[in-house]
Amino acid sequence: MSKKSDFIGIIPSRYGSTRFPGKPLALIDGVMMIERVYRQASKALERVVVATDDSRIYDAVKGFGGEVVMTSSECRNGTERVAEAYKSLGVKADVVINIQGDEPYIHPDQISAVMALFQDTPDVQIGTLAHVFDPKSGFEALFNPNRVKMTMDDSGRVLYFSRSIIPYIRNHKWQEWVDSATFYTHIGLYGFRADVLEEIIALPPSSLEIAESLEQLRWLQHGYHIKAAVTTIPSCPVDTPEDIDALVTKV
């Protein structure tokens, strides 16, 4: 069984963003987003490190006393950045937790839930988080392609991720779907066995990944198993400046 010391949390963070340049340094109630993410993650993990390719983010993290490493600007995605940072640290951990840098109110219990997947089941390769969709939030949200949906088997093993609504409910009007099945949306928090992380960054893009523009489909299509913990705690990602204005302070 893994102990807390067997985990390391890494937050990939880049300055460039088409919709929101400089997002990690944006202030939320006077506190930088990256600092909020770091503080929240540190409540669940003994060691948290920010991985960035930008000196402004590096200096900001150093400024609030966080641990940070510089990574290459050639990293194509957050997973590659996390893998490079982990390797550069020269440490040995059983599991690397990839925490999204745009989740300022990530809850420690969400991180702990993903960690527990590895503590409870030694053969878990990749862990992630599923959120039970609340119909009160508006069914239209399920039609939003930016909100990724997912299905799992009875043991929590992920069957598929999609930007479309899954499952399709036959013989019911779409307005009745939320009363006919439980829908899950994906929260992009990942845990990787350290050896698996090294393997997946070497995988070529897959046809399903290209079709849906979802990196996690590459792992599924190449035969890796992803297990999901289920949470009822909502996710509050920030994609645009307007998202900050809509946030309610939670910490």
Side-chain angles (χ1 to χ4, degrees):
M1 178 179 290
S2 298
K3 308 181 294 295
K4 284 189 70 174
S5 58
D6 296 326
F7 295 85
I8 185 170
I10 300 180
I11 306 169
S13 183
R14 65 187 185 91
Y15 191 90
S17 170
T18 303
R19 290 183 290 179
F20 195 170
K23 180 166 61 172
L25 305 184
L27 295 179
I28 302 174
D29 285 348
V31 179
M32 288 181 295
M33 184 176 333
I34 189 62
E35 182 174 356
R36 285 193 176 276
V37 177
Y38 189 94
R39 301 297 184 201
Q40 289 298 98
S42 296
K43 294 176 183 178
L45 291 152
E46 291 185 356
R47 187 176 186 185
V48 178
V49 182
V50 174
T52 187
D53 63 353
D54 191 276
S55 60
R56 290 163 290 189
I57 296 174
Y58 183 94
D59 292 342
V61 176
K62 282 288 187 180
F64 66 72
E67 185 175 2
V68 58
V69 295
M70 288 294 289
T71 53
S72 169
S73 60
E74 301 301 314
C75 293
R76 294 171 295 181
N77 52 52
T79 308
E80 288 189 5
R81 195 173 306 283
V82 166
E84 181 182 320
Y86 173 69
K87 185 176 181 179
S88 73
L89 288 168
V91 299
K92 293 294 182 183
D94 286 346
V95 179
V96 181
I97 304 293
N98 179 349
I99 302 140
Q100 300 299 310
D102 59 1
E103 289 269 5
Y105 296 123
I106 184 75
H107 198 288
D109 287 350
Q110 293 175 316
I111 298 172
S112 296
V114 173
M115 293 168 64
L117 293 172
F118 297 90
Q119 294 168 316
D120 298 340
T121 312
D123 62 349
V124 170
Q125 295 178 303
I126 302 171
T128 193
L129 201 59
H131 180 252
V132 180
F133 178 75
D134 182 0
K136 294 179 182 178
S137 65
F139 187 66
E140 295 78 8
L142 284 181
F143 284 96
N144 183 350
N146 293 320
R147 181 170 291 194
V148 178
K149 278 67 68 175
M150 58 192 295
T151 56
M152 301 168 288
D153 69 13
D154 291 342
S155 70
R157 179 174 166 180
V158 178
L159 299 173
Y160 196 68
F161 299 93
S162 182
R163 296 187 183 278
S164 297
I165 299 177
I166 49 175
Y168 176 90
I169 309 300
R170 189 178 181 185
N171 298 326
H172 287 273
K173 297 178 181 179
W174 66 262
Q175 294 90 341
E176 302 171 344
W177 283 9
V178 290
D179 298 320
S180 306
T182 300
F183 291 87
Y184 296 94
T185 54
H186 182 226
I187 295 177
L189 174 68
Y190 296 104
F192 305 98
R193 294 284 178 194
D195 57 340
V196 171
L197 177 60
E198 184 176 358
E199 292 171 4
I200 63 173
I201 62 171
L203 297 173
S206 71
S207 59
L208 293 175
E209 173 194 8
I210 293 170
E212 297 238 26
S213 191
L214 294 174
E215 181 191 9
Q216 59 268 43
L217 291 177
R218 179 190 312 188
W219 314 332
L220 283 181
Q221 198 167 358
H222 282 282
Y224 285 86
H225 297 171
I226 305 175
K227 190 164 185 179
V230 177
T231 181
T232 57
I233 302 171
S235 174
C236 301
V238 173
D239 294 317
T240 67
E242 291 72 27
D243 290 335
I244 290 181
D245 296 334
L247 284 176
V248 175
T249 302
K250 297 184 179 181
V251 292

